[in-house]
Amino acid sequence: MFRRTGRNNPYKSKKTSRTFVAVFVLWSLFAFPWFDKGCDLAEAYTAVLRYGLPEGLEPLPACYG
């Protein structure tokens, strides 16, 4: 009869938290190649947003470690 909305809705918060976890896992998978090429963790996550995935043996503009 009455519909829950906003922060009282437990289903919405579960869906939102699952979405955030899924996005973080995907972002981490994309950040791993940067981390593997010598960037520290913060640089690796930032490089995903700026440059995407590293391609081959090109020089890395995100970090020169």
Side-chain angles (χ1 to χ4, degrees):
M1 184 168 163
F2 293 103
R3 193 171 157 187
R4 290 182 171 189
T5 59
R7 59 182 170 179
N8 292 331
N9 187 351
Y11 301 110
K12 187 173 183 180
S13 64
K14 285 183 183 179
K15 184 177 180 181
T16 303
S17 64
R18 286 181 185 161
T19 302
F20 283 132
V21 168
V23 167
F24 182 73
V25 167
L26 186 63
W27 191 16
S28 296
L29 289 174
F30 287 153
F32 182 74
W34 288 106
F35 182 71
D36 195 37
K37 298 225 182 220
C39 294
D40 66 359
L41 202 55
E43 288 175 334
Y45 279 101
T46 305
V48 172
L49 295 177
R50 287 187 179 175
Y51 306 108
L53 292 173
E55 297 175 6
L57 298 174
E58 67 186 24
L60 301 175
C63 58
Y64 294 102

